[in-house]
């Protein structure tokens, strides 16, 4: 299997340890799955690896590494809203989908030590799957990261380095370690295998409902769930599984919206901005590294961006909790954004919202 550089088109074996191309471009995976069909789903496998026929897996490493991720239920919240309970995961967030595949890839190519930067959840996932795979991990998180996420990273035996400053600065510190020390960068944004996991989100929805909902709300920081869903939509359209794409509703916060601003202006790259703090720590990404790819999809599929208003996130979290759903702040931002979307565009029925992170992790 090979990577293709998204900038210069150079090809490279996926066994490379290089996090990106020499020209600075990020890798894309040269992989075309067979036509999607429910008949080819392995119904005897009770994890997202039931879709492995459509996933880029090099060998059977996933069998030793899976923690039973995926297969999360869809729950009706009210007449218009369905919740996909993606915090019902081994480490309590949707990032397990990506990390299970990424760490299987690391195992398959013989990597024994990795670094990763994260707002917490992706770090939790990489640390857990690293522990299962016997791969040493060092995770960099920004100051202010929920202590429970830090404790969990350390509980899995990973080293956790708390970096003063913003989430973007934390990524810079980790990336200089990758460049200077040559350690493998097991990163959810850079490594394309991660998206092979997050795309199962949409496969599952389709298998569970027998269709796709008309509206799908997705949080966008670096866009790992967003891009996974877009890849799956491409596959569904090409396979003739669907004849139109649902309305994708992408959200960012008011204090960190470099992609929303770019989409408003029709730009092909994120807008530089000063990021001020948000309680939605998971989407506080000022410099999304795959912004060009994200924005291409925004225009291709008519994605609409919407703000989660900072002063409405806690109310949204409370409204969900009052109906038994205890999610983290970043996840509540999805519901806050949905309510904001309804105010702007009117009643929005048949809407799927991801419950992508658990409440206990962000209690601080
Ligand atoms: C709970 C939660 N939701 C959403 C996101 C955003 O994911 P991404 O940055 O890949 O868009 C994150 C990222 O850490 C997260 O932890
Ligand atoms: Zn290149």
């Amino acid at each position: 299997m090979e990577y293709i550089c998204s900038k210069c088109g150079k090809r490279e074996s996926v066994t490379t340890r290089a996090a990106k191309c020499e020209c600075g471009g990020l890798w894309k995976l040269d992989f075309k799955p067979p036509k999607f069909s429910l008949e080819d789903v392995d119904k005897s496998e009770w994890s997202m690896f039931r879709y492995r026929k459509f996933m880029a897996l090099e060998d059977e490493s996933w069998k030793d590494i899976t923690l039973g991720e995926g297969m999360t239920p869809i729950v009706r919240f009210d007449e218009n809203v369905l919740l996909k309970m993606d915090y019902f995961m081994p480490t309590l967030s949707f990032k397990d989908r990506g990390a299970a595949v990424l760490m299987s890839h690391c195992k398959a190519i013989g990597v024994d030590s990795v670094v990763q930067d994260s707002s917490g959840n992706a770090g939790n996932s990489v640390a857990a799957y690293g522990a299962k795979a016997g791969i040493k991990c060092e995770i960099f998180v920004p100051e202010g990261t929920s202590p429970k996420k830090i404790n969990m990273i350390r509980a899995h035996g990973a080293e956790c380095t708390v970096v003063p400053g913003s989430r973007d600065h934390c990524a810079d510190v980790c990336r200089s370690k990758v460049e200077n020390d040559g350690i493998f960068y097991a990163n959810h944004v850079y490594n394309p295998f991660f998206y092979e996991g997050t795309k199962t989100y949409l496969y599952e929805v389709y298998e569970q409902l027998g269709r796709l909902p008309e509206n799908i709300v997705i949080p966008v920081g670096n866009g790992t769930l967003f891009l996974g869903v877009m890849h799956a939509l491409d596959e569904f359209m090409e396979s003739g599984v669907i004849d139109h794409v649902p309305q994708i509703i992408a959200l960012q916060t008011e204090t960190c919206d470099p992609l929303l601003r770019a989409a408003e202006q029709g730009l092909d790259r994120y807008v530089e901005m000063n990021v001020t703090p948000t309680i939605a720590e998971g989407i506080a990404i000022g410099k999304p590294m795959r912004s060009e790819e994200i924005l291409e999809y925004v225009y291709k599929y008519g994605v609409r961006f919407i703000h989660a208003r900072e002063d409405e996130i806690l109310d949204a979290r409370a409204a969900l909790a009052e109906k038994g759903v205890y999610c983290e702040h970043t996840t509540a931002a999805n519901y806050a954004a949905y309510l904001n979307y309804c105010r702007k565009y009117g009643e929005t029925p048949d809407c799927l919202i991801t419950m992508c992170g658990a409440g206990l992790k962000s209690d601080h």
Side-chain angles (χ1 to χ4, degrees):
M1 219 181 291
E2 284 186 319
Y3 291 140
I4 303 177
C5 171
S6 54
K7 251 194 191 159
C8 74
K10 183 183 163 197
R11 301 180 78 87
E12 180 71 63
S13 162
V14 297
T15 57
T16 180
R17 302 295 195 266
K20 58 183 179 180
C21 178
E22 286 152 2
C23 81
L26 296 190
W27 301 125
K28 282 186 178 180
L29 203 51
D30 184 17
F31 171 72
K32 200 168 165 52
K35 270 189 164 199
F36 189 88
S37 153
L38 288 179
E39 276 169 25
D40 290 325
V41 176
D42 176 1
K43 312 280 190 317
S44 68
E45 172 58 41
W46 289 90
S47 77
M48 64 171 203
F49 287 100
R50 70 205 265 107
Y51 306 108
R52 66 186 176 282
K53 195 148 190 199
F54 313 105
M55 297 159 75
L57 300 169
E58 298 129 295
D59 62 14
E60 308 262 281
S61 295
W62 65 271
K63 284 191 175 161
D64 297 329
I65 289 167
T66 179
L67 292 164
E69 54 292 321
M71 306 289 286
T72 61
I74 292 175
V75 174
R76 178 158 293 285
F77 183 66
D78 62 26
E79 200 187 325
N80 290 337
V81 174
L82 296 166
L83 302 179
K84 177 120 172 98
M85 305 305 290
D86 250 25
Y87 67 71
F88 294 11
M89 284 277 187
T91 79
L92 313 179
S93 90
F94 80 94
K95 300 277 188 191
D96 290 347
R97 294 185 186 276
V101 181
L102 173 52
M103 297 314 276
S104 299
H105 164 65
C106 290
K107 192 79 188 169
I109 65 168
V111 167
D112 56 14
S113 173
V114 302
V115 290
Q116 153 76 318
D117 54 84
S118 161
S119 66
N121 280 332
N124 282 165
S125 294
V126 167
Y129 289 93
K132 188 87 192 291
I135 295 173
K136 194 167 157 274
C137 303
E138 181 178 1
I139 313 291
F140 292 77
V141 298
E143 68 180 338
T145 298
S146 305
K148 285 181 181 155
K149 294 180 181 174
I150 295 174
N151 292 345
M152 198 166 156
I153 289 167
R154 292 187 174 140
H156 293 309
E159 195 178 326
C160 185
T161 304
V162 181
V163 183
S166 70
R167 169 72 184 88
D168 292 308
H169 175 65
C170 170
D172 290 341
V173 169
C174 182
R175 285 167 200 160
S176 43
K177 175 134 187 159
V178 171
E179 262 156 46
N180 298 336
D181 301 357
I183 303 178
F184 191 88
Y185 193 30
N187 180 264
H188 51 300
V189 193
Y190 275 51
N191 196 293
F193 281 94
F194 201 89
Y195 305 96
E196 290 298 299
T198 53
K199 75 182 186 183
T200 64
Y201 182 80
L202 204 76
Y203 292 169
E204 260 176 45
V205 172
Y206 181 74
E207 187 183 6
Q208 286 166 313
L209 300 177
R211 64 181 185 91
L212 292 182
E214 281 305 315
N215 297 283
I216 300 181
V217 173
I218 303 177
V220 185
N222 273 308
T224 61
L225 181 60
F226 179 89
L227 284 172
V229 165
M230 293 297 133
H231 293 179
L233 283 175
D234 277 348
E235 294 170 16
F236 279 6
M237 286 297 282
E238 280 166 27
S239 304
V241 167
I242 53 173
D243 58 13
H244 70 285
V245 297
Q247 177 64 57
I248 302 295
I249 302 166
L251 65 109
Q252 299 212 289
T253 62
E254 286 172 299
T255 58
C256 185
D257 58 357
L259 291 162
L260 180 148
R261 291 184 194 200
E264 262 175 9
Q265 297 170 45
L267 305 178
D268 60 7
R269 191 169 180 274
Y270 70 84
V271 170
E272 300 274 354
M273 61 175 292
N274 279 332
V275 177
T276 48
T278 163
I279 55 169
E281 61 188 5
I283 46 176
I285 307 294
K287 298 177 187 159
M289 296 307 289
R290 288 194 185 262
S291 72
E292 280 128 328
E293 205 177 323
I294 293 170
L295 288 160
E296 248 176 57
Y297 275 117
V298 165
Y299 306 127
K300 178 176 178 185
Y301 286 142
V303 171
R304 284 181 179 152
F305 269 98
I306 190 86
H307 277 134
R309 289 182 39 185
E310 198 67 23
D311 59 345
E312 293 178 348
I313 294 176
L314 287 177
D315 286 348
R317 188 170 187 242
L320 289 159
E322 275 161 20
K323 288 199 179 180
V325 177
Y326 196 52
C327 66
E328 71 169 273
H329 299 81
T330 306
T331 299
N334 291 302
Y335 187 52
Y338 167 76
L339 296 175
N340 196 20
Y341 185 88
C342 292
R343 278 200 299 268
K344 188 166 176 190
Y345 294 100
E347 192 181 343
T348 306
D350 196 23
C351 187
L352 182 80
I353 303 182
T354 175
M355 290 292 105
C356 48
L360 283 177
K361 275 207 201 174
S362 66
D363 264 343
H364 60 296

